[in-house]
Amino acid sequence: MENIFLFPGQGAQAQGMAIDFCDNSAKAKEIVTKMSEICNEDIYSLLKDTDAQELSRSDKSQLSIAAAELICAEVLKEKGIMPSACAGFSLGEFPALCVAGILSFEDTMKLVKRRGQIFQAVCEEISGAGMSAIIGLTPEQVSGLLKDYNDPKAANAVFATNLNSPKQTVVSGTMEGLKVCEKLCTEAGARRVVPLKVAGPFHSPLMQKAADAFVEELNKVEFKDPVITCFSNVTGKAFASGEEAKQNACNHIIKPVRWTEEEAAMAAFIDAKGSCRLLEAGPGKVLSGLWRDSGYAEKAECLPVGTLEAVNNL
């Protein structure tokens, strides 16, 4: 059977994630030691001991999530469960780039650590900006409602940034922009508008300073052409080359996550391959839920496999 590995993004983190792998798998222990040496940080302790409040910081959450997901992917492969394709949501795209052979393991860990540090620093500079989830409207509806408020220099700037499912879109903006968005979306029939506990207005032009800083880090590493299919948040399609992946690693910070389009591309991949399943290789089951709501769930099942028990039950 073909497998598509999916990697969730920032917000999926939880204290103790991947520790069951680390405590029971020689391969996981080996990779944690390697991660710690690369990042000059005790990754096992980061995963095991960091509480929820500390994990909410971008400089902690991004490194810990990527570590947990790469550990999970290695345990899956250790058990003979190999990926034919992969995709990652937001930060999760970096473990996907690694699994697809676009980035080396060492470069992935270095980039993720610096990305988290850059995000944290920029978000601490930005005051009065955040994100909200719009429930009950399509991404197209939300984008249309906000088209007159997409000026990043405006006090009421707001953008549709995570196109999650036909029922859910996340927006990023200034506090004034988010208030405008809530009013417009509620009047248009949204069931709920939920403010998110995040550090900043991710995947929007309001994060341009972070994108500019991250370019310097990207220029230090090599992006190779993918060895297996890897889908892009920026385009919603498979990466054609390493150079495209490099460009999108920067655009990724200020452009929307086109997850509904990625799911459509994955559905086409499944049609071409036949028997296939999706494995959510990381903490939680957010991406499994989005697949369920995608309209493609009958084509293939999506299983959360972020624990040792779940992997052993495959």
Side-chain angles (χ1 to χ4, degrees):
M1 177 181 290
E2 307 279 350
N3 299 296
I4 302 176
F5 284 13
L6 302 182
F7 300 100
Q10 197 167 347
Q13 68 272 6
Q15 184 174 359
M17 58 186 172
I19 289 300
D20 54 348
F21 294 130
C22 299
D23 288 345
N24 294 280
S25 163
K27 184 64 177 179
K29 292 176 183 177
E30 176 187 331
I31 194 173
V32 166
T33 298
K34 188 175 179 182
M35 287 174 174
S36 299
E37 292 171 352
I38 292 168
C39 298
N40 193 29
E41 186 159 352
D42 186 342
I43 297 297
Y44 183 87
S45 179
L46 176 67
L47 296 171
K48 184 176 186 294
D49 300 326
T50 313
D51 62 25
Q53 182 175 355
E54 188 72 4
L55 274 179
S56 68
R57 293 173 53 92
S58 290
D59 54 352
K60 298 295 184 182
S61 62
Q62 294 196 22
L63 181 58
S64 62
I65 291 166
E69 292 174 357
L70 287 172
I71 290 166
C72 181
E74 285 299 320
V75 171
L76 286 166
K77 290 190 284 186
E78 184 183 27
K79 292 181 175 294
I81 302 168
M82 308 300 291
S84 302
C86 55
F89 189 101
S90 188
L91 182 276
E93 190 159 279
F94 283 87
L97 292 173
C98 182
V99 169
I102 297 172
L103 283 174
S104 70
F105 178 82
E106 182 174 354
D107 286 340
T108 300
M109 296 306 300
K110 288 180 177 178
L111 281 177
V112 167
K113 181 172 182 176
R114 281 297 295 134
R115 187 178 187 271
Q117 291 171 336
I118 290 168
F119 270 49
Q120 186 64 33
V122 170
C123 289
E124 287 175 0
E125 291 181 17
I126 298 174
S127 60
M131 302 177 78
S132 294
I134 313 300
I135 312 299
L137 297 179
T138 67
E140 293 77 16
Q141 286 176 297
V142 175
S143 296
L145 290 168
L146 302 183
K147 61 181 171 42
D148 294 332
Y149 301 91
N150 290 169
D151 180 358
K153 296 181 181 179
N156 58 2
V158 62
F159 309 84
T161 49
N162 292 3
L163 315 183
N164 289 351
S165 81
K167 302 177 182 179
Q168 181 192 121
T169 302
V170 172
V171 300
S172 297
T174 64
M175 288 301 111
E176 187 174 336
L178 293 174
K179 289 177 183 177
V180 170
C181 175
E182 181 173 7
K183 182 176 184 295
L184 291 173
C185 291
T186 299
E187 291 174 350
R191 293 201 309 272
R192 284 188 298 156
V193 177
V194 184
L196 302 181
K197 295 179 180 179
V198 295
F202 302 148
H203 299 291
S204 81
L206 299 174
M207 293 293 291
Q208 185 64 55
K209 188 171 183 179
D212 293 342
F214 197 49
V215 167
E216 296 181 18
E217 304 303 323
L218 295 173
N219 287 334
K220 298 175 184 177
V221 304
E222 180 183 8
F223 282 71
K224 297 180 180 179
D225 291 343
V227 296
I228 63 171
T229 299
C230 184
F231 299 96
S232 165
N233 287 176
V234 173
T235 67
K237 302 174 182 178
F239 288 110
S241 67
E243 183 57 34
E244 180 192 356
K246 182 178 181 178
Q247 293 173 357
N248 284 346
C250 180
N251 291 333
H252 190 246
I253 296 173
I254 57 172
K255 298 288 186 180
V257 174
R258 298 188 176 278
W259 193 250
T260 53
E261 295 175 38
E262 273 187 81
E263 289 178 322
M266 286 187 274
F269 179 90
I270 291 166
D271 287 340
K273 292 293 185 179
S275 179
C276 195
R277 64 185 174 183
L278 297 93
L279 302 177
E280 186 170 1
K285 50 186 178 181
V286 169
L287 300 185
S288 300
L290 294 182
W291 181 256
R292 183 188 61 238
D293 294 337
S294 68
Y296 306 115
E298 64 182 23
K299 293 180 179 290
E301 63 180 344
C302 185
L303 303 172
V305 294
T307 65
L308 183 62
E309 180 182 8
V311 171
N312 286 338
N313 286 335
L314 289 174

